[in-house]
Structures are given as structure tokens and as C-alpha cells.
Amino acid sequence: MSYQFITSAKLPTRYGEFDIHIFENEDGQEHVMLTVGLPVVDPDTATPSERPAPLIRIHSECLTGDAFSSLKCDCGPQLNSAMQAIQEAGCGAILYLRQEGRGIGLTNKIRAYALQDQGHDTLDANLMLGLPADARIYDMCGPMLAHIGVDAVRLITNNPNKIAYLTEHGINVVERVPLLVGVNDMNAEYLATKRDRMGHLLDKDFNTAIHLNK
């Protein structure tokens, strides 16, 4: 599927000013990139950059967490922490991908929530609905990063799938920056499922955070 840049503007936020860029695929689905210190490049004249690899966060849309401050997940705190870290670094980007509920959509996500309320974990809830555990794709990341001339990143993530995808598509992940925020007793099982069943890189710091929130 192809993606094209549509428009950009300044976006002042509580964390500082970002440039906001809109991309669209051939089906009309929109994706967003927030950048700091990363000017747009002309691919026909661009030369390899000597700047350090910027901080990059690939963040999939989560209405309940990002907008409504849900305690069922850590998505809202992850987004906010990434925005703050990138502003402090002075160079970086958030690739905000419109694939709600790990790609299953908002309605199915809430259906999965209902199953979680009955005691099923997040992975089993998706499978019980006949849906994949994780339906997200990252093919829009390449065009977005190319737009700002980035081919090496310091990736803010706990998800090894994101590292693997970028690496397989020619983006050098020079460092993984862990992100452990928003842990509470409402999402502890959700995070444990990420670690134990989906391979997310949550180590002893996760156990410490759980202990501190009990």
C-alpha cells in the first residue's frame, strides 16, 4: 500500500511545539507524525545526515487511553512521556498510527474489553472474538521517516516487533529506549500478558513498578 504526505503545520502542546504532518494511504486513512528538530528533506537532493539518531516513538492510536485516560492500559502515559522526552531531547518524532485496538478497531476493542471484564486476558479476548492477537502493521513508518530524512533511530519501545520491522526495512535501530510508565493495579495483568505471552521487553523494573503500586 502506498502512502503520501498531505500537509503540515505547527502544533503547540503542553510539552512544547511540534510540527504535525499528515499522511494518507490509498484508502484515505490518515496517519500523523509529530516532529521536533527534524526538517523535511528533498529526497532528490538529500545527503546522509551527520546528526545523532533521533528519538522515535511508534504509537498506535488508543482512544480510550490517549483521550480518555483509561487505566486499563499504559498507552496514554506512554504517549505523554514520549512527547516530553522528545521535546527534552530537541530532536525526534512520534509516528501516530491510526490502528486502534492493536489494529482490530474501536468496536472490537470494546467487545474485547467486555470479555476482559469476565476474567480473560487481552490476548485470549481477541482470539475468542476470532481476531488476531495483534493486527497492527508498520508499513507506513518507512515513508514517514523518509519524509524527514531519518534512516537511524533511537526507538522508544518495549515491543520487539517494532524493532524487527524497522530493521528489516532498512532503518537502523541504534538503541532501544525502554518505556515503563502508567503502571497501576488496573493494568498489571494487561502488562504481564504483554511480557509473558507477547514477548514485550518488560523486565525486573516492571515487577518493581507493580510492587510500588500495590
Side-chain angles (χ1 to χ4, degrees), residues 72-115:
K72 280 182 172 284
C73 65
D74 56 345
C75 301
Q78 284 188 324
L79 177 60
N80 294 333
S81 293
M83 291 175 69
Q84 183 174 356
I86 287 168
Q87 281 288 345
E88 291 174 353
C91 183
I94 293 175
L95 281 55
Y96 193 88
L97 311 182
R98 306 296 299 280
Q99 42 189 4
E100 176 71 52
R102 294 183 185 153
I104 65 174
L106 182 59
T107 298
N108 282 327
K109 175 181 176 178
I110 302 308
R111 287 174 175 149
Y113 272 8
L115 291 172

Side-chain angles (χ1 to χ4, degrees), residues 26-62:
E26 56 203 43
D27 295 328
Q29 185 182 40
E30 299 165 322
H31 301 279
V32 178
M33 180 169 65
L34 301 180
T35 64
V36 173
L38 292 169
V40 174
V41 302
D42 182 343
D44 295 327
T45 60
T47 58
S49 174
E50 296 182 357
R51 69 189 173 212
L55 272 177
I56 302 294
R57 166 72 182 166
I58 300 172
H59 189 93
S60 295
E61 179 181 38
C62 175

Side-chain angles (χ1 to χ4, degrees), residues 2-23:
S2 63
Y3 297 85
Q4 63 176 330
F5 167 71
I6 301 299
T7 189
S8 63
K10 298 294 183 182
L11 182 70
T13 77
R14 62 186 294 185
Y15 303 106
E17 185 175 85
F18 291 85
D19 291 312
I20 182 168
H21 312 261
I22 304 300
F23 295 78

Side-chain angles (χ1 to χ4, degrees), residues 156-182:
I156 305 174
T157 191
N158 302 321
N159 186 348
N161 291 337
K162 295 177 181 178
I163 299 171
Y165 185 88
L166 292 185
T167 301
E168 290 168 3
H169 289 79
I171 305 297
N172 182 18
V173 180
V174 301
E175 180 186 0
R176 180 184 79 88
V177 180
L179 184 60
L180 184 62
V181 292

Side-chain angles (χ1 to χ4, degrees), residues 102-175:
R102 294 183 185 153
I104 65 174
L106 182 59
T107 298
N108 282 327
K109 175 181 176 178
I110 302 308
R111 287 174 175 149
Y113 272 8
L115 291 172
Q116 292 167 40
D117 291 342
Q118 298 172 23
H120 304 285
D121 70 23
T122 53
L123 190 153
D124 284 337
N126 280 25
L127 299 179
M128 291 170 69
L129 292 170
L131 301 168
D134 191 340
R136 290 176 292 182
I137 59 174
Y138 301 105
D139 56 354
M140 64 287 287
C141 295
M144 294 170 111
L145 292 173
H147 186 68
I148 49 176
V150 169
D151 58 9
V153 303
R154 298 169 57 220
L155 190 64
I156 305 174
T157 191
N158 302 321
N159 186 348
N161 291 337
K162 295 177 181 178
I163 299 171
Y165 185 88
L166 292 185
T167 301
E168 290 168 3
H169 289 79
I171 305 297
N172 182 18
V173 180
V174 301
E175 180 186 0

